[in-house]
Structure formats: structure tokens, C-alpha cells
Coordinates of all heavy atoms in Angstrom, one line a residue:
M10 N 19.0 233.0 -105.6 CA 19.4 231.9 -104.8 C 18.2 231.7 -103.8 O 18.0 232.7 -103.1 CB 20.8 231.9 -104.3 CG 21.2 230.8 -103.7 SD 22.0 229.8 -104.8 CE 22.4 228.2 -103.9
T11 N 17.8 230.5 -103.5 CA 16.8 230.4 -102.5 C 17.6 230.1 -101.2 O 18.5 229.5 -101.1 CB 15.8 229.3 -102.8 OG1 16.6 228.0 -102.9 CG2 15.2 229.5 -104.1
E12 N 16.8 230.4 -100.0 CA 17.4 230.1 -98.8 C 17.1 228.6 -98.4 O 16.1 228.1 -98.8 CB 16.8 231.1 -97.8 CG 17.2 232.5 -97.8 CD 16.5 233.3 -96.7 OE1 16.3 232.7 -95.5 OE2 16.4 234.5 -96.9
F13 N 18.0 228.1 -97.6 CA 17.8 226.7 -97.1 C 16.6 226.8 -96.2 O 16.5 227.6 -95.2 CB 19.0 226.2 -96.4 CG 18.8 224.9 -95.8 CD1 18.8 223.8 -96.5 CD2 18.7 224.8 -94.4 CE1 18.6 222.6 -96.0 CE2 18.6 223.5 -93.9 CZ 18.5 222.3 -94.7
D14 N 15.7 225.8 -96.4 CA 14.4 225.7 -95.7 C 14.4 224.3 -95.1 O 13.9 223.4 -95.7 CB 13.2 226.0 -96.4 CG 12.0 226.1 -95.6 OD1 12.0 225.8 -94.4 OD2 10.9 226.4 -96.3
L15 N 14.8 224.1 -93.7 CA 14.9 222.7 -93.1 C 13.4 222.2 -93.0 O 13.2 221.0 -93.3 CB 15.5 222.9 -91.8 CG 15.7 221.5 -91.1 CD1 16.5 220.6 -91.9 CD2 16.2 221.8 -89.7
G16 N 12.5 223.0 -92.8 CA 11.1 222.5 -92.6 C 10.6 221.9 -94.0 O 10.0 220.8 -94.0
S17 N 10.9 222.6 -95.1 CA 10.4 222.2 -96.4 C 11.2 220.8 -96.6 O 10.6 219.9 -97.3 CB 10.6 223.1 -97.5 OG 9.8 224.1 -97.2
L18 N 12.5 220.8 -96.3 CA 13.3 219.6 -96.6 C 12.7 218.4 -95.9 O 12.6 217.3 -96.5 CB 14.7 219.9 -96.3 CG 15.7 218.7 -96.5 CD1 15.8 218.5 -98.1 CD2 17.1 219.0 -96.0
I19 N 12.4 218.6 -94.6 CA 11.9 217.4 -93.8 C 10.6 217.0 -94.3 O 10.2 215.8 -94.5 CB 11.9 217.8 -92.3 CG1 13.3 217.9 -91.9 CG2 11.0 216.8 -91.5 CD1 13.4 218.5 -90.5
L20 N 9.7 218.0 -94.8 CA 8.5 217.6 -95.3 C 8.7 216.8 -96.6 O 8.0 215.8 -96.8 CB 7.6 218.8 -95.7 CG 6.4 218.7 -96.5 CD1 5.3 218.0 -95.6 CD2 5.8 219.9 -97.1
G21 N 9.5 217.1 -97.4 CA 9.8 216.5 -98.7 C 10.5 215.1 -98.4 O 10.0 214.1 -99.1
L22 N 11.3 215.0 -97.4 CA 11.9 213.6 -97.1 C 10.8 212.7 -96.6 O 10.7 211.5 -97.0 CB 12.9 213.9 -96.0 CG 14.2 214.5 -96.4 CD1 15.1 214.8 -95.3 CD2 15.0 213.6 -97.5
L23 N 9.9 213.2 -95.7 CA 8.8 212.4 -95.2 C 7.7 212.0 -96.3 O 7.4 210.8 -96.3 CB 8.1 213.1 -94.0 CG 8.9 213.2 -92.8 CD1 8.3 214.1 -91.7 CD2 9.2 211.9 -92.1
A24 N 7.4 213.0 -97.0 CA 6.5 212.6 -98.2 C 7.1 211.6 -99.1 O 6.5 210.7 -99.7 CB 6.0 213.9 -98.8
G25 N 8.4 211.9 -99.5 CA 9.0 211.1 -100.4 C 9.4 209.6 -99.9 O 9.0 208.7 -100.6
A26 N 9.5 209.4 -98.7 CA 9.8 208.2 -98.0 C 8.5 207.3 -98.0 O 8.5 206.2 -98.3 CB 10.3 208.3 -96.6
T27 N 7.4 208.1 -97.6 CA 6.1 207.4 -97.4 C 5.6 207.0 -98.9 O 5.2 205.9 -99.1 CB 5.1 208.4 -96.9 OG1 5.6 208.7 -95.6 CG2 3.8 207.6 -96.7
T28 N 5.7 207.9 -99.7 CA 5.2 207.7 -101.2 C 6.0 206.5 -101.9 O 5.5 205.7 -102.4 CB 5.1 208.9 -102.0 OG1 4.4 209.9 -101.3 CG2 4.4 208.7 -103.3
S29 N 7.3 206.8 -101.7 CA 8.1 205.7 -102.4 C 8.1 204.4 -101.9 O 8.0 203.4 -102.5 CB 9.7 206.1 -102.4 OG 9.7 207.5 -102.9
T30 N 7.9 204.2 -100.5 CA 7.7 202.9 -99.9 C 6.3 202.3 -100.4 O 6.4 201.1 -100.8 CB 7.6 203.1 -98.4 OG1 8.8 203.6 -98.0 CG2 7.3 201.7 -97.7
L31 N 5.3 203.1 -100.5 CA 4.0 202.6 -101.0 C 4.2 202.2 -102.5 O 3.6 201.2 -103.0 CB 2.9 203.6 -100.8 CG 2.5 203.8 -99.4 CD1 1.5 205.1 -99.4 CD2 1.9 202.5 -98.8
F32 N 4.9 203.0 -103.3 CA 5.1 202.7 -104.6 C 5.9 201.3 -104.9 O 5.4 200.5 -105.7 CB 6.1 203.8 -105.2 CG 6.4 203.6 -106.8 CD1 5.6 204.1 -107.7 CD2 7.5 203.0 -107.0 CE1 5.9 204.0 -109.1 CE2 8.0 202.8 -108.4 CZ 7.0 203.3 -109.4
F33 N 6.9 201.1 -104.0 CA 7.7 199.8 -104.2 C 6.9 198.6 -103.6 O 7.0 197.6 -104.1 CB 9.1 199.9 -103.7 CG 9.9 200.9 -104.6 CD1 10.3 202.1 -104.4 CD2 10.2 200.4 -106.0 CE1 11.1 202.8 -105.1 CE2 11.0 201.1 -106.7 CZ 11.5 202.4 -106.4
L34 N 6.0 198.9 -102.6 CA 5.3 197.8 -102.0 C 4.2 197.4 -103.0 O 3.9 196.3 -103.2 CB 4.7 198.2 -100.7 CG 5.7 198.3 -99.5 CD1 4.8 198.8 -98.2 CD2 6.2 196.9 -99.2
G35 N 3.7 198.4 -103.6 CA 2.7 198.1 -104.7 C 3.3 197.3 -105.9 O 2.6 196.5 -106.4
L36 N 4.5 197.7 -106.3 CA 5.2 197.0 -107.3 C 5.4 195.5 -106.9 O 5.1 194.6 -107.7 CB 6.6 197.6 -107.6 CG 7.5 196.8 -108.5 CD1 6.9 196.8 -109.9 CD2 8.9 197.6 -108.6
A37 N 5.9 195.3 -105.7 CA 6.1 193.9 -105.3 C 4.8 193.1 -105.3 O 4.8 191.9 -105.7 CB 6.8 193.8 -103.9
Y38 N 3.7 193.7 -104.7 CA 2.5 193.1 -104.6 C 1.9 192.8 -106.0 O 1.4 191.7 -106.3 CB 1.5 193.9 -103.8 CG 0.1 193.2 -103.7 CD1 -0.1 192.2 -102.9 CD2 -1.0 193.8 -104.3 CE1 -1.3 191.6 -102.7 CE2 -2.2 193.3 -104.2 CZ -2.3 192.2 -103.5 OH -3.6 191.6 -103.2
M39 N 2.0 193.8 -106.9 CA 1.4 193.6 -108.2 C 2.1 192.5 -109.1 O 1.6 191.9 -110.0 CB 1.2 194.9 -108.9 CG 0.1 195.9 -108.3 SD -1.5 195.0 -108.0 CE -2.0 194.7 -109.7
M40 N 3.4 192.4 -108.9 CA 4.2 191.5 -109.6 C 3.9 190.0 -109.1 O 3.8 189.1 -110.0 CB 5.7 191.7 -109.3 CG 6.4 192.9 -110.0 SD 6.0 192.9 -111.8 CE 6.9 191.4 -112.4
R41 N 3.6 189.9 -107.9 CA 3.0 188.5 -107.5 C 1.7 188.2 -108.1 O 1.5 187.1 -108.5 CB 2.9 188.5 -105.9 CG 4.2 188.5 -105.2 CD 4.0 188.5 -103.7 NE 5.3 188.9 -103.1 CZ 5.8 188.1 -102.1 NH1 5.1 187.1 -101.6 NH2 6.9 188.4 -101.7
I42 N 0.8 189.1 -108.2 CA -0.4 189.1 -108.8 C -0.3 188.9 -110.4 O -0.9 187.9 -110.9 CB -1.3 190.2 -108.6 CG1 -1.8 190.2 -107.1 CG2 -2.6 190.2 -109.4 CD1 -2.5 191.5 -106.7
A43 N 0.6 189.6 -111.0 CA 0.8 189.5 -112.4 C 1.4 188.1 -112.7 O 1.0 187.5 -113.8 CB 1.8 190.6 -112.9
L44 N 2.3 187.5 -112.0 CA 2.9 186.2 -112.2 C 1.8 185.0 -112.2 O 2.1 184.0 -112.8 CB 3.9 185.9 -111.4 CG 5.2 186.8 -111.6 CD1 6.3 186.6 -110.4 CD2 5.8 186.6 -112.8
K45 N 0.7 185.4 -111.6 CA -0.4 184.3 -111.4 C -1.5 184.6 -112.4 O -2.4 183.8 -112.6 CB -0.8 184.2 -110.0 CG 0.0 183.9 -109.0 CD -0.6 183.9 -107.6 CE 0.5 183.6 -106.6 NZ -0.1 183.8 -105.1
A46 N -1.4 185.8 -113.1 CA -2.6 186.2 -113.9 C -2.5 185.6 -115.3 O -1.4 185.2 -115.8 CB -2.5 187.7 -114.1
A47 N -3.7 185.4 -116.0 CA -3.7 185.0 -117.3 C -3.1 185.9 -118.3 O -2.5 185.6 -119.4 CB -5.2 184.6 -117.7
R48 N -3.4 187.2 -118.0 CA -2.7 188.3 -118.9 C -1.8 189.2 -118.0 O -2.2 190.2 -117.6 CB -3.9 189.1 -119.5 CG -4.8 188.2 -120.4 CD -5.8 189.0 -120.9 NE -5.3 190.4 -121.6 CZ -6.0 190.8 -122.5 NH1 -7.2 190.5 -122.9 NH2 -5.5 192.0 -123.0
P49 N -0.6 188.8 -117.8 CA 0.3 189.6 -116.9 C 0.6 190.9 -117.4 O 0.8 191.9 -116.7 CB 1.4 188.7 -116.7 CG 1.4 187.7 -117.9 CD 0.0 187.6 -118.2
A50 N 0.7 191.1 -118.7 CA 1.0 192.4 -119.3 C 0.1 193.5 -119.0 O 0.4 194.6 -118.6 CB 1.3 192.3 -120.8
A51 N -1.2 193.0 -119.0 CA -2.3 194.0 -118.7 C -2.2 194.5 -117.2 O -2.3 195.7 -117.0 CB -3.6 193.4 -119.0
V52 N -2.0 193.5 -116.4 CA -1.8 193.8 -114.9 C -0.7 194.7 -114.6 O -0.8 195.7 -113.9 CB -1.8 192.4 -114.2 CG1 -1.4 192.8 -112.6 CG2 -2.9 191.6 -114.2
I53 N 0.5 194.4 -115.3 CA 1.7 195.2 -115.1 C 1.5 196.6 -115.6 O 1.8 197.6 -115.0 CB 2.9 194.5 -115.7 CG1 3.2 193.3 -114.9 CG2 4.1 195.4 -115.6 CD1 4.4 192.4 -115.6
F54 N 0.9 196.7 -116.8 CA 0.6 198.0 -117.3 C -0.3 198.8 -116.6 O -0.1 200.0 -116.2 CB 0.0 197.9 -118.8 CG -0.3 199.2 -119.4 CD1 0.7 200.0 -119.9 CD2 -1.6 199.7 -119.5 CE1 0.3 201.3 -120.5 CE2 -1.9 200.8 -120.0 CZ -0.9 201.6 -120.5
L55 N -1.4 198.3 -116.0 CA -2.4 199.1 -115.2 C -1.7 199.5 -113.9 O -1.8 200.6 -113.5 CB -3.6 198.2 -115.0 CG -4.6 198.8 -114.2 CD1 -5.2 200.1 -114.7 CD2 -5.8 197.9 -113.9
S56 N -1.0 198.5 -113.3 CA -0.4 198.9 -112.0 C 0.7 199.9 -112.2 O 0.8 200.9 -111.4 CB 0.4 197.6 -111.5 OG 1.3 197.9 -110.5
S57 N 1.5 199.8 -113.2 CA 2.5 200.8 -113.4 C 1.9 202.3 -113.6 O 2.4 203.2 -113.2 CB 3.6 200.4 -114.5 OG 2.9 200.4 -115.7
T58 N 1.0 202.2 -114.4 CA 0.2 203.5 -114.8 C -0.4 204.2 -113.5 O -0.1 205.4 -113.3 CB -0.9 203.3 -115.8 OG1 -0.4 202.7 -116.9 CG2 -1.6 204.6 -116.2
V59 N -1.0 203.5 -112.7 CA -1.6 204.0 -111.5 C -0.5 204.5 -110.5 O -0.5 205.6 -110.0 CB -2.5 203.0 -110.8 CG1 -3.0 203.4 -109.4 CG2 -3.7 202.8 -111.7
R60 N 0.5 203.6 -110.3 CA 1.6 203.9 -109.3 C 2.4 205.1 -109.8 O 2.7 205.9 -108.9 CB 2.6 202.6 -109.1 CG 1.9 201.6 -108.3 CD 2.9 200.4 -108.1 NE 3.3 199.7 -109.2 CZ 4.5 199.9 -109.8 NH1 5.4 200.6 -109.3 NH2 4.7 199.2 -111.1
I61 N 2.8 205.2 -111.1 CA 3.5 206.3 -111.6 C 2.7 207.6 -111.5 O 3.2 208.7 -111.0 CB 4.0 206.0 -112.9 CG1 5.0 205.0 -113.0 CG2 4.5 207.4 -113.6 CD1 5.4 204.5 -114.3
A62 N 1.4 207.5 -111.8 CA 0.4 208.7 -111.8 C 0.4 209.3 -110.3 O 0.5 210.5 -110.0 CB -0.8 208.4 -112.3
L63 N 0.2 208.4 -109.3 CA 0.2 208.7 -107.9 C 1.5 209.3 -107.4 O 1.6 210.3 -106.7 CB -0.3 207.6 -107.1 CG -1.7 207.1 -107.3 CD1 -2.0 205.8 -106.5 CD2 -2.7 208.2 -106.8
L64 N 2.6 208.7 -107.8 CA 3.8 209.2 -107.4 C 4.1 210.6 -108.0 O 4.6 211.4 -107.3 CB 5.0 208.2 -107.9 CG 6.4 208.7 -107.5 CD1 6.6 208.4 -106.0 CD2 7.4 207.9 -108.3
L65 N 3.9 210.9 -109.3 CA 4.0 212.2 -109.8 C 3.0 213.1 -109.2 O 3.4 214.4 -109.1 CB 3.7 212.1 -111.3 CG 4.9 211.3 -112.1 CD1 4.4 211.2 -113.5 CD2 6.2 212.1 -111.9
A66 N 1.8 212.7 -108.9 CA 0.8 213.7 -108.3 C 1.3 214.1 -106.9 O 1.3 215.4 -106.6 CB -0.5 213.0 -108.1
V67 N 1.9 213.2 -106.1 CA 2.3 213.6 -104.8 C 3.5 214.5 -105.0 O 3.8 215.5 -104.3 CB 2.6 212.3 -103.9 CG1 3.3 212.7 -102.6 CG2 1.3 211.6 -103.6
G68 N 4.4 214.1 -105.9 CA 5.6 214.9 -106.2 C 5.3 216.4 -106.7 O 6.0 217.3 -106.2
W69 N 4.2 216.5 -107.3 CA 3.8 217.8 -107.8 C 3.2 218.6 -106.7 O 3.6 219.8 -106.5 CB 2.8 217.6 -108.9 CG 2.2 219.0 -109.4 CD1 2.9 219.8 -110.4 CD2 1.1 219.7 -109.0 NE1 2.2 220.9 -110.5 CE2 1.2 220.8 -109.8 CE3 0.1 219.4 -108.2 CZ2 0.1 221.8 -109.6 CZ3 -0.9 220.4 -108.0 CH2 -0.9 221.5 -108.8
L70 N 2.5 217.9 -105.8 CA 2.1 218.7 -104.5 C 3.2 219.1 -103.7 O 3.1 220.2 -103.3 CB 1.0 217.8 -103.8 CG -0.4 217.5 -104.6 CD1 -1.1 216.5 -103.8 CD2 -1.1 218.8 -104.6
V71 N 4.1 218.2 -103.5 CA 5.2 218.5 -102.7 C 6.0 219.7 -103.3 O 6.5 220.6 -102.6 CB 6.2 217.3 -102.4 CG1 7.5 217.6 -101.8 CG2 5.4 216.3 -101.6
A72 N 6.2 219.7 -104.7 CA 6.9 220.7 -105.4 C 6.3 222.0 -105.2 O 7.0 223.1 -105.2 CB 7.1 220.3 -106.8
Q73 N 5.0 222.1 -104.9 CA 4.4 223.4 -104.8 C 4.8 224.1 -103.3 O 4.6 225.3 -103.3 CB 2.8 223.2 -104.7 CG 2.2 222.6 -105.9 CD 2.6 223.3 -107.2 OE1 2.3 224.5 -107.2 NE2 3.2 222.7 -108.2
T74 N 5.3 223.3 -102.5 CA 5.7 224.0 -101.2 C 7.1 224.6 -101.3 O 7.5 225.2 -100.4 CB 5.7 222.9 -100.1 OG1 6.6 221.9 -100.3 CG2 4.2 222.4 -100.0
G75 N 7.9 224.1 -102.4 CA 9.2 224.8 -102.5 C 10.3 223.8 -103.1 O 10.0 222.6 -103.1
L76 N 11.4 224.4 -103.4 CA 12.5 223.6 -104.0 C 13.1 222.6 -103.0 O 13.4 221.5 -103.3 CB 13.6 224.5 -104.5 CG 14.8 223.9 -105.0 CD1 14.5 223.2 -106.2 CD2 16.0 225.0 -105.3
W77 N 13.2 223.0 -101.7 CA 13.9 222.1 -100.7 C 13.0 220.9 -100.5 O 13.5 219.7 -100.4 CB 14.2 222.9 -99.5 CG 15.3 223.8 -99.7 CD1 15.2 225.2 -99.9 CD2 16.7 223.4 -99.9 NE1 16.5 225.6 -100.1 CE2 17.4 224.5 -100.1 CE3 17.3 222.2 -99.9 CZ2 18.8 224.6 -100.3 CZ3 18.7 222.2 -100.1 CH2 19.4 223.3 -100.3
A78 N 11.7 221.0 -100.6 CA 10.7 220.0 -100.4 C 10.8 219.0 -101.5 O 10.8 217.8 -101.4 CB 9.3 220.4 -100.3
L79 N 10.9 219.5 -102.8 CA 11.0 218.7 -103.9 C 12.4 217.9 -103.9 O 12.4 216.7 -104.3 CB 11.0 219.5 -105.2 CG 11.2 218.8 -106.6 CD1 10.1 217.8 -106.6 CD2 11.1 219.7 -107.6
L80 N 13.5 218.6 -103.5 CA 14.8 217.9 -103.4 C 14.7 216.7 -102.3 O 15.3 215.7 -102.5 CB 15.9 218.9 -103.1 CG 16.2 219.9 -104.2 CD1 17.2 220.9 -103.7 CD2 16.8 219.1 -105.4
G81 N 14.0 217.1 -101.2 CA 13.9 216.0 -100.2 C 13.1 214.9 -100.7 O 13.3 213.7 -100.4
F82 N 12.1 215.1 -101.4 CA 11.2 214.1 -102.0 C 12.1 213.2 -103.0 O 12.0 211.9 -103.0 CB 10.1 214.7 -102.8 CG 9.0 213.9 -103.3 CD1 7.9 213.3 -102.6 CD2 9.1 213.4 -104.6 CE1 7.0 212.4 -103.0 CE2 8.2 212.4 -105.2 CZ 7.1 212.0 -104.4
A83 N 12.8 213.9 -103.8 CA 13.6 213.1 -104.8 C 14.7 212.3 -104.1 O 14.9 211.1 -104.5 CB 14.2 214.1 -105.8
L84 N 15.3 212.8 -103.1 CA 16.4 212.2 -102.4 C 15.7 210.9 -101.7 O 16.3 209.8 -101.7 CB 16.9 213.0 -101.4 CG 18.1 212.5 -100.5 CD1 19.2 212.0 -101.3 CD2 18.6 213.5 -99.4
S85 N 14.6 211.1 -101.0 CA 13.9 210.0 -100.4 C 13.5 208.9 -101.4 O 13.8 207.7 -101.1 CB 12.6 210.4 -99.7 OG 12.9 211.1 -98.5
F86 N 13.1 209.3 -102.6 CA 12.8 208.2 -103.5 C 14.1 207.4 -104.0 O 14.0 206.2 -104.1 CB 12.2 208.9 -104.9 CG 11.9 207.9 -105.9 CD1 10.6 207.2 -106.0 CD2 12.8 207.6 -106.9 CE1 10.4 206.2 -106.8 CE2 12.5 206.6 -107.9 CZ 11.3 205.9 -107.9
L87 N 15.2 208.1 -104.2 CA 16.4 207.4 -104.5 C 16.9 206.5 -103.3 O 17.2 205.3 -103.7 CB 17.5 208.4 -104.8 CG 17.2 209.2 -106.1 CD1 18.4 210.1 -106.4 CD2 17.2 208.2 -107.4
V88 N 16.8 206.9 -102.2 CA 17.1 206.0 -101.0 C 16.2 204.8 -100.9 O 16.7 203.7 -100.7 CB 17.2 206.9 -99.7 CG1 17.5 206.0 -98.6 CG2 18.4 208.0 -99.8
V89 N 15.0 205.0 -101.0 CA 14.0 203.9 -100.9 C 14.2 203.0 -102.0 O 14.2 201.7 -101.8 CB 12.6 204.5 -100.8 CG1 11.5 203.2 -100.9 CG2 12.3 205.2 -99.4
R90 N 14.5 203.5 -103.2 CA 14.7 202.6 -104.3 C 16.0 201.8 -104.1 O 15.9 200.6 -104.5 CB 14.9 203.5 -105.6 CG 15.2 202.8 -106.9 CD 15.4 203.7 -108.1 NE 15.8 203.0 -109.2 CZ 17.1 202.6 -109.5 NH1 18.0 202.7 -108.7 NH2 17.3 201.8 -110.6
F91 N 17.0 202.3 -103.7 CA 18.2 201.6 -103.3 C 17.9 200.5 -102.4 O 18.4 199.3 -102.5 CB 19.3 202.5 -102.8 CG 20.6 201.9 -102.4 CD1 21.4 201.5 -103.5 CD2 20.8 201.6 -101.2 CE1 22.6 200.8 -103.1 CE2 21.9 201.0 -100.7 CZ 22.9 200.6 -101.6
V92 N 17.2 200.8 -101.3 CA 16.8 199.8 -100.3 C 16.0 198.7 -100.8 O 16.3 197.5 -100.6 CB 16.2 200.5 -99.0 CG1 15.6 199.5 -98.1 CG2 17.2 201.3 -98.3
A93 N 15.0 199.1 -101.7 CA 14.2 198.0 -102.3 C 14.9 197.1 -103.2 O 14.6 196.0 -103.2 CB 13.0 198.8 -103.1
I94 N 15.8 197.7 -104.0 CA 16.6 196.9 -104.9 C 17.5 195.9 -104.1 O 17.6 194.8 -104.4 CB 17.5 197.8 -105.7 CG1 16.6 198.3 -106.9 CG2 18.6 196.9 -106.5 CD1 17.2 199.3 -107.8
R95 N 18.1 196.3 -102.9 CA 19.0 195.6 -102.2 C 18.2 194.4 -101.6 O 18.6 193.3 -101.2 CB 19.6 196.4 -101.1 CG 20.6 197.4 -101.6 CD 21.8 196.9 -102.1 NE 22.6 196.2 -100.9 CZ 23.7 195.8 -101.0 NH1 24.4 195.8 -102.2 NH2 24.3 195.3 -100.0
L96 N 17.0 194.7 -101.2 CA 16.0 193.7 -100.5 C 15.6 192.7 -101.5 O 15.4 191.5 -101.2 CB 14.9 194.3 -99.7 CG 15.2 195.2 -98.5 CD1 14.0 195.9 -98.1 CD2 15.9 194.3 -97.5
A97 N 15.3 193.1 -102.7 CA 14.8 192.1 -103.8 C 15.9 191.3 -104.4 O 15.5 190.4 -105.0 CB 14.1 193.1 -104.9
R98 N 17.1 191.8 -104.3 CA 18.2 191.1 -105.1 C 18.5 189.7 -104.2 O 18.5 189.8 -103.0 CB 19.4 191.9 -105.1 CG 20.6 191.2 -105.8 CD 21.7 192.3 -105.9 NE 21.3 193.3 -106.8 CZ 21.9 194.5 -106.9 NH1 22.8 194.8 -106.0 NH2 21.4 195.4 -107.7
P99 N 18.6 188.6 -105.0 CA 18.9 187.4 -104.3 C 20.3 187.5 -103.7 O 21.2 188.1 -104.2 CB 18.8 186.3 -105.4 CG 19.0 187.1 -106.7 CD 18.5 188.5 -106.4
P100 N 20.5 186.7 -102.7 CA 21.9 186.7 -101.9 C 22.9 186.2 -103.0 O 22.7 185.4 -103.7 CB 21.8 185.6 -100.7 CG 20.4 185.1 -100.8 CD 19.5 185.7 -102.0
A101 N 24.1 186.7 -102.9 CA 25.2 186.5 -103.6 C 25.7 185.0 -103.4 O 25.7 184.6 -102.2 CB 26.3 187.5 -103.5
D102 N 25.9 184.3 -104.5 CA 26.6 182.9 -104.3 C 28.2 183.1 -104.0 O 28.7 183.7 -104.9 CB 26.3 182.0 -105.5 CG 26.7 180.7 -105.3 OD1 27.0 180.2 -104.2 OD2 26.9 180.0 -106.5
N103 N 28.6 182.5 -102.9 CA 30.0 182.6 -102.6 C 30.9 181.6 -103.4 O 32.0 181.2 -102.8 CB 30.3 182.5 -101.1 CG 29.7 183.8 -100.5 OD1 29.5 184.9 -101.1 ND2 29.3 183.7 -99.2
G104 N 30.3 181.0 -104.3 CA 31.1 179.9 -105.0 C 31.3 178.6 -104.3 O 32.2 177.9 -104.5
G105 N 30.2 178.3 -103.5 CA 30.2 176.9 -102.8 C 31.1 177.0 -101.5 O 31.3 175.9 -100.9
T106 N 31.5 178.2 -101.0 CA 32.3 178.0 -99.7 C 31.4 178.2 -98.5 O 30.3 178.8 -98.5 CB 33.4 179.2 -99.7 OG1 32.6 180.4 -99.9 CG2 34.4 178.9 -100.7

């Protein structure tokens, strides 16, 4: 069993929050570009390939520092993903009230 390492956890949380925020900002930006492009599938494919590769590379580097850093990185990704989905979702229609 590994000991709890607060420093590694904080490192993972910070790296995960930063990387995930850039990941989802890149997604939003590239979707706007893809919607205007003549070949949107190519733009989306290239964008997703680059963003996923960079996210995995940073995740791998963070994982080299320890389990707690990796857990912090993953937790940050999930939190940022949840926030990004909430911000991207259109407001709910209250049925005309």
C-alpha cells in the first residue's frame, strides 16, 4: 500500500486542471473552425488526435511522479469535463413560464 502524498496529489490536480482546461478550450475552438471548414471531418480528426496525444503525454509524465499525482490528474480531468459540459449545454426550457 502506498502512503498518501499530498504534494503529488496537488501536483496532479494542478497539472490535470491546466491540461484539461486547454483540452476543452481546444475542442471548443476547433469545433468553431470545423463548422466553417469545407472538410470538417478532417479538421475534427486532426484536432482530436493532437489534443488526445497531448493529454495522454502529460498524463504519462504526471504518472511518473506517483500514484497520487495520477489520481489527482484524473480527478481534475473529470471535474473540468463536468464544468465544460455544464457550460456548453444550452439553458433548459421551462415550458414557457
Side-chain angles (χ1 to χ4, degrees):
M10 187 90 185
T11 68
E12 290 184 29
F13 178 71
D14 186 0
L15 182 61
S17 289
L18 180 66
I19 291 172
L20 172 74
L22 288 169
L23 291 174
T27 304
T28 306
S29 301
T30 300
L31 292 173
F32 179 88
F33 288 109
L34 286 174
L36 172 62
Y38 180 70
M39 292 310 292
M40 286 306 296
R41 290 178 190 228
I42 291 174
L44 290 173
K45 296 176 187 175
R48 297 180 51 159
V52 172
I53 292 170
F54 176 75
L55 180 61
S56 167
S57 64
T58 302
V59 170
R60 285 182 299 104
I61 291 169
L63 290 174
L64 183 73
L65 289 174
V67 173
W69 182 82
L70 289 172
V71 168
Q73 300 304 306
T74 64
L76 176 63
W77 289 105
L79 180 61
L80 290 174
F82 185 86
L84 179 63
S85 284
F86 179 82
L87 292 175
V88 169
V89 171
R90 179 185 177 275
F91 177 77
V92 170
I94 289 171
R95 296 286 294 187
L96 291 173
R98 185 173 290 156
D102 185 18
N103 293 336
T106 57

